[in-house]
Amino acid sequence: MKLATLKDSTRDGRLVVVSRDLTRCSEVGHIARTLQAALDDWQHVAPRLALIAEGIETGAQPTIRFHEHEAASPLPRAYQWADGSAYVNHVELVRRARNAEMPASFWVDPLMYQGGSDSFLSPRDPIAMAEEAYGIDMEGEVAVVVSDVAMGSSPEVARSAICLVMLVNDVSLRGLVPEELAKGFGFFQSKPASAFSPVAVTPDELGEAWDGGKLHLPLLVTLNGKAFGKANAGVDMTFDFGQLIAHAAKTRNLVSGTIIGSGTVSNKLDGGPGKPVEHGGDGYSCIAEMRIIETIETGSPKTPFLRFGDQVRIEMKDHAGHSVFGAIEQTVRRWGELKSP
Amino acid sequence: MKLATLKDSTRDGRLVVVSRDLTRCSEVGHIARTLQAALDDWQHVAPRLALIAEGIETGAQPTIRFHEHEAASPLPRAYQWADGSAYVNHVELVRRARNAEMPASFWVDPLMYQGGSDSFLSPRDPIAMAEEAYGIDMEGEVAVVVSDVAMGSSPEVARSAICLVMLVNDVSLRGLVPEELAKGFGFFQSKPASAFSPVAVTPDELGEAWDGGKLHLPLLVTLNGKAFGKANAGVDMTFDFGQLIAHAAKTRNLVSGTIIGSGTVSNKLDGGPGKPVEHGGDGYSCIAEMRIIETIETGSPKTPFLRFGDQVRIEMKDHAGHSVFGAIEQTVRRWGELKSP
């Protein structure tokens, strides 16, 4: 089934079940008012929501039109957002650009940071920032929402806790990263609010594209309407979601509604760093990686980071060409030109 | 006023207003069912809760007994927990123990990490951990809960957003810290679930001890019943809570209910690193600092990190000797010996 949260006057919006083709939806306030409320009691609530989803497809369930731009992030605020870096290829490239060597342990021990989860952007919200000089970048990723996971759970157990899959734009401020990481406490100011896809879907909805721990579909990233990346999220993912969740749960319980991210999707090409889309490659899911390739090839980066007015779109299509999660589509704006985003 | 959350069958417990002397409380489900619900609409809810608090003190309000061990952390789960390191003295000492130099910028640019906020321990819950070898340590701190803070707010504006003050045991796994920080993404596995004081109090309740940005009272830390620390939280705090909140809000909005921590309370002595309580000093709020002093003085650490069975107590008393927030009192246990903590 597919779930979304419609914006309303509350902080958590209201939960709806969305039709497979993303055109219609049904309100389900009588079952669970919000997605977090559904996740708090997922075992009992999910089967009831699944019946609604079935009714939507057969026509038995009354529906209203679903518009992606009326959706908030499926969890407009969450109790936890932990983002891995499972495409180690990406990590290696980013480090190379900082002239920092990558330890060999990164291939066996997942990298993960604790992200801010208190106020996500809606999928069509602007990315409002005070300065272009912060080096605003998108990061196209896949993320999963888990039910309760006990401390010390194995990757196998962790995989069975995956309730929902969605896409995320993990906005990053590249200009603030080096100084912040040098302080040793990880990202904070360099990771502003993220935005998630309009729709979150249960794994069974993904068919053969979901293997239990990875999603085997290309992540379509466009910048100002031009294809920028189409890397396959199932390729070169060194750690699957089960491993990432187990990593997060090593020394603590994870509460239902925890979101775990894959890190920027990134594909190698013949063992090398991939090629831009315009040169026939699968491109990149963030500008930083493009700049690194340019630096490697020509000695300096050519593609600027995002500027006010630039538009990013992140989407994923099934084999029939239909959008699976709806699209994240965000324009970069100067903070203060708009009221609260 | 003083607020607490009583454990019940729900994930968020139920909000009560507690008497100044921590002996009685009133249920306020008709005003706000949970503390987060109160914080979601703080401007309207707080005055109504304050009337209840007044009624409790005058005897006009019906009350029941309040027992600290029935309390969860005031926010059993929160949308954000960001912990500063405002006692730069502590940071300098911890670094010295790791043979890592502290950059001079640490005196002007606050250090802060994003903590996990999805499932806090209750103030009397055991600290359950798989291995003593993780180097289990307490960190006694002060924390504030803020209402909504807009991106880019000044420290002055940030100070006015402080709704509640409480204590926290920011449990740390010292054995996991060096390897985790070396990976560059900050703490994750080395910061398991924290526990907060049974009661959160509004700043006005603190009288002259609260100066708008710092809390001027000694933080009493005992280990197995013996005084371990009594450092004054208002002394040597390089950044006040206004500065810490503004730091957190530089590139994003903070949602109401965000918790900001002070970092381990630590006092210098005559410009030096302080003295253990048993040598007439104010002692320390974590074992790591004690071990550093021992290393400086004798060449090696003597005090072990926490072992299974050890008990930590963190409390703060007003000038009349009354407990302000109630006590955090936790025993370290092996994970699995108890069911879910």
Side-chain angles (χ1 to χ4, degrees):
Chain A
M1 71 183 151
K2 301 193 173 192
L3 302 175
T5 294
L6 296 184
K7 296 184 219 178
D8 63 10
S9 62
T10 70
R11 292 174 183 265
D12 297 300
R14 64 183 195 282
L15 180 64
V16 293
V17 177
V18 182
S19 64
R20 196 159 287 152
D21 65 2
L22 308 183
T23 61
R24 293 161 299 136
C25 66
S26 288
E27 308 225 2
V28 288
H30 59 296
I31 299 174
R33 210 176 42 79
T34 67
L35 180 52
Q36 183 62 51
L39 288 159
D40 282 347
D41 191 23
W42 189 245
Q43 216 188 330
H44 296 104
V45 171
R48 297 182 63 193
L49 297 177
L51 283 178
I52 304 280
E54 207 181 298
I56 292 174
E57 299 307 325
T58 61
Q61 176 72 29
T63 58
I64 54 174
R65 285 289 298 176
F66 175 72
H67 299 287
E68 294 184 23
H69 65 264
E70 290 173 359
S73 282
L75 290 165
R77 53 181 179 173
Y79 293 106
Q80 180 157 234
W81 158 231
D83 198 11
S85 257
Y87 302 85
V88 179
N89 179 46
H90 163 81
V91 181
E92 198 169 33
L93 285 170
V94 169
R95 293 233 160 187
R96 201 188 296 179
R98 290 209 302 266
N99 288 317
E101 203 160 319
M102 193 184 81
S105 66
F106 280 24
W107 293 102
V108 290
D109 178 34
L111 210 53
M112 181 172 281
Y113 79 91
Q114 190 87 48
S117 58
D118 62 316
S119 50
F120 296 128
L121 302 177
S122 292
R124 303 295 166 93
D125 271 351
I127 298 166
M129 208 44 65
E131 311 261 0
E132 281 180 348
Y134 289 168
I136 308 162
D137 198 359
M138 71 273 194
E139 288 199 353
E141 310 186 6
V142 177
V144 298
V145 181
V146 297
S147 54
D148 295 300
V149 177
M151 195 193 305
S153 291
S154 67
E156 290 67 37
V157 169
R159 264 172 225 126
S160 70
I162 298 172
C163 303
L164 295 166
V165 182
M166 51 193 183
L167 305 180
V168 52
N169 181 10
D170 181 46
V171 181
S172 298
L173 304 176
R174 303 292 182 194
L176 305 186
V177 167
E179 214 171 310
E180 196 153 55
L181 292 199
K183 290 164 72 177
F185 272 27
F187 304 106
F188 199 102
Q189 295 177 338
S190 52
K191 290 285 184 180
S194 301
F196 292 82
S197 51
V199 169
V201 314
T202 48
D204 62 290
E205 196 71 43
L206 298 164
E208 288 184 3
W210 179 252
D211 71 5
K214 298 181 186 180
L215 180 54
H216 297 267
L217 285 173
L219 185 70
L220 309 176
V221 180
T222 66
L223 177 55
N224 296 324
K226 250 182 81 181
F228 192 86
K230 50 175 181 169
N232 192 307
V235 173
D236 294 327
M237 189 183 189
T238 306
F239 307 103
D240 76 1
F241 279 108
Q243 291 169 293
L244 295 175
I245 297 162
H247 181 86
K250 185 183 173 185
T251 59
R252 45 165 138 153
N253 300 311
L254 308 180
V255 88
S256 193
T258 289
I259 307 171
I260 305 282
S262 67
T264 306
V265 176
S266 176
N267 289 171
K268 285 189 265 199
L269 185 70
D270 306 327
K275 263 191 200 171
V277 174
E278 58 181 340
H279 298 156
D282 284 341
Y284 310 100
S285 307
C286 69
I287 293 174
E289 205 164 314
M290 177 76 159
R291 288 167 58 91
I292 294 158
I293 307 302
E294 290 166 346
T295 304
I296 292 169
E297 287 182 353
T298 72
S300 66
K302 300 281 175 293
T303 309
F305 287 119
L306 297 172
R307 291 170 171 161
F308 297 137
D310 279 350
Q311 194 190 60
V312 177
R313 186 180 166 98
I314 298 172
E315 197 171 12
M316 201 173 246
K317 293 186 174 170
D318 63 20
H319 294 303
H322 300 127
S323 183
V324 181
F325 305 95
I328 298 170
E329 192 174 281
Q330 301 185 275
T331 303
V332 183
R333 297 272 181 229
R334 187 188 297 275
W335 173 250
E337 277 184 4
L338 309 145
K339 287 295 157 199
S340 167
Chain B
M1 72 183 151
K2 300 193 174 194
L3 301 176
T5 295
L6 296 184
K7 296 183 219 179
D8 63 11
S9 62
T10 70
R11 292 175 183 265
D12 296 301
R14 62 183 197 279
L15 180 64
V16 292
V17 177
V18 182
S19 64
R20 197 159 285 152
D21 65 1
L22 308 183
T23 62
R24 293 162 298 137
C25 67
S26 289
E27 307 225 4
V28 290
H30 58 296
I31 299 174
R33 208 175 44 77
T34 67
L35 180 52
Q36 183 62 51
L39 288 158
D40 282 348
D41 191 22
W42 188 246
Q43 215 188 330
H44 295 104
V45 170
R48 297 182 63 193
L49 297 178
L51 284 177
I52 303 281
E54 208 181 298
I56 292 175
E57 299 307 325
T58 60
Q61 175 72 28
T63 58
I64 53 174
R65 285 286 301 175
F66 175 71
H67 299 287
E68 294 183 23
H69 65 265
E70 290 173 358
S73 282
L75 290 166
R77 52 181 181 175
Y79 293 106
Q80 180 157 234
W81 157 232
D83 198 11
S85 257
Y87 303 85
V88 179
N89 179 45
H90 163 80
V91 181
E92 200 170 32
L93 285 170
V94 169
R95 292 235 162 189
R96 202 188 295 177
R98 291 209 301 267
N99 289 315
E101 204 161 318
M102 193 184 79
S105 66
F106 280 23
W107 293 102
V108 291
D109 178 32
L111 209 54
M112 181 171 282
Y113 79 91
Q114 189 87 48
S117 58
D118 62 318
S119 51
F120 295 128
L121 301 179
S122 293
R124 303 294 165 95
D125 270 351
I127 299 166
M129 207 45 65
E131 310 261 1
E132 281 181 347
Y134 288 169
I136 307 162
D137 198 359
M138 70 270 194
E139 288 200 353
E141 311 187 5
V142 178
V144 298
V145 181
V146 298
S147 55
D148 294 301
V149 177
M151 195 193 304
S153 291
S154 67
E156 291 67 37
V157 169
R159 265 172 224 126
S160 70
I162 297 172
C163 303
L164 295 166
V165 183
M166 52 192 183
L167 306 181
V168 51
N169 181 11
D170 181 47
V171 181
S172 297
L173 303 176
R174 303 293 181 193
L176 305 186
V177 167
E179 213 171 311
E180 196 154 56
L181 293 198
K183 290 163 74 177
F185 272 28
F187 304 106
F188 199 102
Q189 295 177 337
S190 52
K191 291 284 186 182
S194 300
F196 292 82
S197 50
V199 169
V201 314
T202 48
D204 62 292
E205 196 71 43
L206 299 165
E208 288 185 2
W210 179 252
D211 71 4
K214 296 181 188 182
L215 180 53
H216 296 267
L217 285 173
L219 185 70
L220 309 176
V221 179
T222 67
L223 178 54
N224 296 325
K226 252 181 79 179
F228 192 86
K230 49 177 182 170
N232 193 306
V235 174
D236 295 328
M237 191 184 187
T238 306
F239 308 103
D240 77 0
F241 279 108
Q243 291 169 292
L244 294 176
I245 298 162
H247 181 86
K250 186 182 173 188
T251 59
R252 45 164 136 152
N253 300 311
L254 308 181
V255 87
S256 192
T258 287
I259 308 171
I260 304 283
S262 67
T264 306
V265 176
S266 176
N267 289 171
K268 284 189 267 198
L269 184 71
D270 306 327
K275 264 191 202 172
V277 174
E278 58 181 341
H279 299 155
D282 284 341
Y284 310 100
S285 307
C286 68
I287 293 174
E289 206 164 315
M290 178 75 159
R291 287 167 59 91
I292 294 158
I293 306 304
E294 290 167 345
T295 304
I296 292 169
E297 287 180 354
T298 72
S300 66
K302 301 278 176 291
T303 309
F305 287 119
L306 297 173
R307 290 167 173 165
F308 297 136
D310 280 350
Q311 193 190 59
V312 176
R313 187 180 164 98
I314 298 172
E315 198 170 12
M316 200 173 245
K317 293 184 174 170
D318 63 20
H319 294 302
H322 299 129
S323 182
V324 181
F325 305 95
I328 299 169
E329 193 175 279
Q330 302 186 274
T331 303
V332 183
R333 299 272 180 226
R334 187 189 296 277
W335 173 250
E337 277 182 5
L338 308 146
K339 287 295 158 199
S340 168

